[in-house]
Amino acid sequence: MSEAVSRRSAMRLLAAAGTALGAGACAPGVPPGAGARTAPPAAPAAAEAKGAARIDALLERLTLDEKTALLHGAPDPDSLGQAGYVPGVPRLGIPALRLADGPAGVRVARPATALPAPVLLASAFDPALAREYGRVIGREGRALGQDVLLSPMVNLIRTPYAGRNFETFAEDPRLTADLVGEMIRGIQDEGLIATVKHFALNNQEHGRDTVDVIAAEQTLHETELRGFEAAVAAGAGAVMGAYNKVNGVHACESKALLEEVLRGSWGFDGWVMSDWDATHSTVASIGAGLDMEMPGGTHFGGPLREAVRGGSVPEGAVDLAVHRILTTMDRFGLLTAPPAARPRRDAAAGARTARKVATAGAVLLRNEHGTLPLTGAAARSIAVIGPTGQVPFVSGGGSAHVLPDGAAAPLTAIRRRAGNGSTVPYALGEDLYGRPLPAKLLTPAADLEERAVDPGRVWSHEGEFRLAADDEWTLLVHYTGKRPVVRLDGEELFPVRQGVAEYFAGGLLGSAPDGMSVRRTTLALTAGAHRLAVTAEGGDKGQRFRLRHTTGAIRAADLAEAVKTAKSARSVVLFAYEDATEGRDRTSLALPGGQERLIEAVAAANPRTTVVLNTSSSTTMPWLSRTGAVLQMYYPGQEGAGATADLLFGDADPGGRLTQTFPADEQATPVGGDPLRYPGVGGRQEYSEGVHVGHRWYDAQGVTPLFPFGHGLSYTTWQYEKLTVRPERAGLRVEFTVRNTGRRKGTEVAQVYVGPSAELELDQPVRALAGYRRLALAPGEAERVTLDISERALSSWDPERHAWVLGSGRRQVFVGRSSRELPLRSKAVVASR
């Protein structure tokens, strides 16, 4: 047996043991979320002692310079395009570490499997699938030369505006905890170190570097911290500290978080790294328990060595941080000589999992008059409309963006599935990348469509054009090198932005289909003359660029063509998008651009219109009642086209359920109309909603959402019956029957919620998710479901005792299809211990 195989096998056994210790809250093989802590996978005692002795011996031989070099990032002399690098100590056999982004696949300079966004994975309500997802990333990370994965992200979806909602799982703490635990086990099954992030309360991009998040102790433990606790229970090797402050202290120098909670209460024994440039001090940070500064050594390089020599930091603190890092590396076999062989990428297996996840997590939000699945004449005459019907929307922007092996267009997949004899016309609907500027538009004339600038050369042109009437223009620059400078009437149109906003421009809009980088700006232009000046530098390698535009006339023509195409077909599949990215929050929950107008016009022309949403989070839908169906696909990864076609034609039942509430309007959200909750006032933000996060807030306030948490339709029908609830130790055993009453095989997600305890004088949700089970049943088939509701699921955090306390007494239990569709109800007495 090879060393690589033996190491992975041992880690799988250890992780499986951790799962077995914690099972019982949802279903066989499902982890308990953030229940009573199970120890991280550990080596047998003899091997552990031997490893500890080896680490101690290494520490004795390391110089102070070598120790501090292990505590911060540095430039990689042989970069693989990953996010971070920590040099090793070759003379002692300590290898370098390469750290890659990877919430939806491994982000390096080479192709990797582009998996669906984690929010789509979470919508499957399937912890076993989360583990499979993690294993794909774990294997590929190792195969692509990486040692540490900067994933998963476990921050809750607190506000629908947050730019990274697609990178995380859910608004619900329980579901999030279940999924992150299994994803980490999957990643680390394959020998890759998982890094759970961002610890803690990094629930928005707006002001993320500076905002001070104020949250009460009960709020912290019952909402945001549950996922991190589950990650520790699953044996996560590393934790990433957040940018923001928590209760007045930067997260990366918060002793309350890093020492008291993470290590003290939960027993975390891996290492803590900062988010990129989230370290703000030397003495305070290492004293609070931060072990590694990324991506450089601003605070943990020279300043840390000087602090040790000057006596403000004891060398023992440096030794402790190095010990944590080396111990984790040793646990994963990275200190073994010779190093374990890396596996080969299995691109085909990755693609199969990507399609499986995209299909399993898709949520059918609406389906009127049998619009879906497409059958008969409706399946042979289909108009496909929308830019993301032709350009596959694979992943969101920022650190989640992956270079895929390839990705088919949904239009191609639909035409293939519709087959010979069908007609599947296409209309753009909205132009994302612009039309060429007419060469004769400018005086003097200039062709700005395909310009090449040789290395070391500069190309420039200045001209004038005239508009006969006022108009709204969008100007776009596509380029391969240094961004050309474009000025209109003396104003620069595409200035370089500060920070991550410059580099994270979106997964769809940031680059053209041919790979060129894209920037755009929309302007209201007045009638008359305008001066346009363009300057482009070739740089060391030369570059190509083009300048494009859209106008009011172009938009009107695209809309008219879409309506004409819709009228010509029996059914319509309209693809709509919203492009989110790290580095910025959304400014509206509405679809961007002219998409609302497009949907309304197309649906008016053909009521059998299905809208496929490639969006990051919840979306307002003033156009909803005009449509036949709405299918939520989020960012579906490289196999999204095939998965979408499978669902549209009924080859698969849409088994996904919403992991976040969709509000009826922008004010009807847990943070709507309260700037202190979001985005904060004067750099301060308060989580004054307390434990009522997500669907809990809608229940507490009696607000009706557009679509509730847990919602999702099927192509068949379901009946719930015969509920029984009885006490089981300090928990409850819930049994009920789910029956497929329709004519098709289908997938259902049965959900169990519990009400508050009258015996606890603590704030409690009206209903809290306590368990769930994903089922696949044939027509007429029924299954008796048994779910054990754990003591943790029935407990609240008492800030006076600083502990979980059981909510004993009579508790109400609800069972059904979503947080608002709960046909079965019963009561049972929870016995106090």
Side-chain angles (χ1 to χ4, degrees), residues 771-790:
Y772 49 88
R773 176 72 62 80
R774 185 178 173 92
L775 306 166
L777 299 178
E781 184 181 3
E783 182 171 327
R784 188 69 178 166
V785 177
T786 300
L787 293 177
D788 287 329
I789 307 305
S790 68

Side-chain angles (χ1 to χ4, degrees), residues 16-79:
T19 305
L21 286 169
C26 287
V30 175
R37 181 180 180 271
T38 43
E48 186 174 318
K50 184 178 179 180
R54 181 165 60 249
I55 302 305
D56 289 341
L58 281 172
L59 265 171
E60 289 181 2
R61 299 176 63 190
L62 286 166
T63 68
L64 180 60
D65 284 358
E66 289 170 335
K67 291 174 188 176
T68 56
L70 293 171
L71 303 188
H72 64 82
D76 187 348
D78 300 300
S79 177

Side-chain angles (χ1 to χ4, degrees), residues 287-352:
L290 183 69
D291 301 308
M292 181 182 288
E293 176 189 9
M294 294 301 295
T298 302
H299 300 283
F300 277 22
L304 179 55
R305 291 191 292 273
E306 291 305 311
V308 171
R309 292 177 181 130
S312 58
V313 171
E315 190 162 357
V318 172
D319 290 347
L320 182 57
V322 172
H323 195 281
R324 289 167 178 153
I325 294 167
L326 293 180
T327 299
T328 306
M329 291 175 67
D330 191 50
R331 172 187 155 197
F332 283 81
L334 298 179
L335 299 183
T336 302
R342 293 186 181 271
R344 294 173 60 88
R345 266 197 75 211
D346 189 342
R352 287 192 296 271

Side-chain angles (χ1 to χ4, degrees), residues 711-793:
H711 170 75
L713 304 177
S714 169
Y715 291 149
T716 187
T717 54
W718 303 93
Q719 182 174 316
Y720 285 70
E721 57 192 17
K722 301 176 182 177
L723 171 64
T724 63
V725 184
R726 65 177 187 271
E728 186 79 11
R729 296 183 292 276
L732 296 172
R733 173 157 287 184
V734 180
E735 296 184 22
F736 55 94
T737 298
V738 179
R739 187 181 306 277
N740 182 346
T741 56
R743 298 180 179 180
R744 300 172 59 98
K745 179 180 179 180
T747 301
E748 175 67 327
V749 176
Q751 301 160 47
V752 177
Y753 297 80
V754 294
S757 164
E759 297 184 8
L760 278 184
E761 294 183 359
L762 294 168
D763 197 16
Q764 300 172 70
V766 174
R767 282 182 293 276
L769 180 69
Y772 49 88
R773 176 72 62 80
R774 185 178 173 92
L775 306 166
L777 299 178
E781 184 181 3
E783 182 171 327
R784 188 69 178 166
V785 177
T786 300
L787 293 177
D788 287 329
I789 307 305
S790 68
E791 180 178 348
R792 170 58 74 86

Side-chain angles (χ1 to χ4, degrees), residues 234-604:
V239 170
M240 180 186 290
Y243 285 109
N244 50 279
K245 294 178 182 177
V246 176
N247 293 327
V249 181
H250 284 291
C252 289
E253 53 190 51
S254 171
K255 185 170 290 188
L257 283 177
L258 303 185
E259 289 296 338
E260 295 173 15
V261 174
L262 182 63
R263 294 193 172 100
S265 297
W266 301 343
F268 176 65
D269 56 5
W271 88 82
V272 179
M273 72 180 76
S274 73
D275 204 338
W276 270 225
D277 296 314
T279 307
H280 296 275
S281 64
T282 300
V283 177
S285 293
I286 198 163
L290 183 69
D291 301 308
M292 181 182 288
E293 176 189 9
M294 294 301 295
T298 302
H299 300 283
F300 277 22
L304 179 55
R305 291 191 292 273
E306 291 305 311
V308 171
R309 292 177 181 130
S312 58
V313 171
E315 190 162 357
V318 172
D319 290 347
L320 182 57
V322 172
H323 195 281
R324 289 167 178 153
I325 294 167
L326 293 180
T327 299
T328 306
M329 291 175 67
D330 191 50
R331 172 187 155 197
F332 283 81
L334 298 179
L335 299 183
T336 302
R342 293 186 181 271
R344 294 173 60 88
R345 266 197 75 211
D346 189 342
R352 287 192 296 271
T353 297
R355 184 157 179 167
K356 180 178 179 180
V357 172
T359 305
V363 185
L364 184 61
L365 297 176
R366 172 181 170 87
N367 193 22
E368 297 295 310
H369 310 300
T371 300
L372 292 180
L374 298 173
T375 59
R380 295 189 295 272
S381 173
I382 310 165
V384 176
I385 294 170
T388 50
Q390 188 177 49
V391 178
F393 198 164
V394 175
S395 59
S399 56
H401 196 64
V402 178
L403 179 65
D405 293 293
L411 175 62
T412 302
I414 291 170
R415 282 175 171 166
R416 182 183 299 117
R417 177 58 182 80
N420 295 331
S422 62
T423 57
V424 185
Y426 173 73
L428 182 63
E430 181 185 54
D431 193 334
L432 298 185
Y433 305 109
R435 305 289 215 279
L437 284 163
K440 295 183 180 179
L441 174 73
L442 290 176
T443 304
D447 183 359
L448 299 175
E449 173 58 14
E450 287 292 343
R451 302 295 313 190
V453 186
D454 292 333
R457 303 300 295 271
V458 176
W459 184 92
S460 62
H461 183 84
E462 184 171 350
E464 183 179 280
F465 66 92
R466 301 187 67 84
L467 293 183
D470 296 352
D471 199 358
E472 182 180 84
W473 277 39
T474 297
L475 282 159
L476 308 93
V477 63
H478 301 208
Y479 57 99
T480 62
K482 180 180 178 181
R483 186 183 312 159
V485 175
V486 182
R487 289 187 172 87
L488 184 65
D489 298 328
E491 181 179 349
E492 189 171 350
L493 297 183
F494 312 107
V496 175
R497 299 176 181 175
Q498 295 298 312
V500 294
E502 172 60 26
Y503 300 102
F504 297 155
L508 175 71
L509 301 178
S511 60
D514 63 358
M516 279 190 173
S517 297
V518 177
R519 295 294 186 272
R520 57 179 54 72
T521 188
T522 298
L523 305 162
L525 299 185
T526 58
H530 296 273
R531 297 201 63 77
L532 184 70
V534 183
T535 301
E537 299 178 16
D540 295 336
K541 299 179 179 179
Q543 77 154 317
R544 294 181 299 114
F545 79 92
R546 52 188 174 240
L547 194 64
R548 290 187 169 183
H549 77 315
T550 57
T551 66
I554 290 172
R555 284 187 283 272
D558 287 344
L559 180 63
E561 180 64 22
V563 169
K564 178 182 177 182
T565 304
K567 288 180 177 178
S568 72
R570 292 294 295 270
S571 57
V572 175
V573 178
L574 191 157
F575 287 83
Y577 73 91
E578 177 262 319
D579 192 9
T581 183
E582 177 179 356
R584 67 170 184 262
D585 282 349
R586 302 162 73 187
T587 57
S588 169
L589 303 187
L591 293 171
Q595 291 183 96
E596 290 190 349
R597 185 168 64 252
L598 173 66
I599 293 171
E600 290 174 350
V602 167

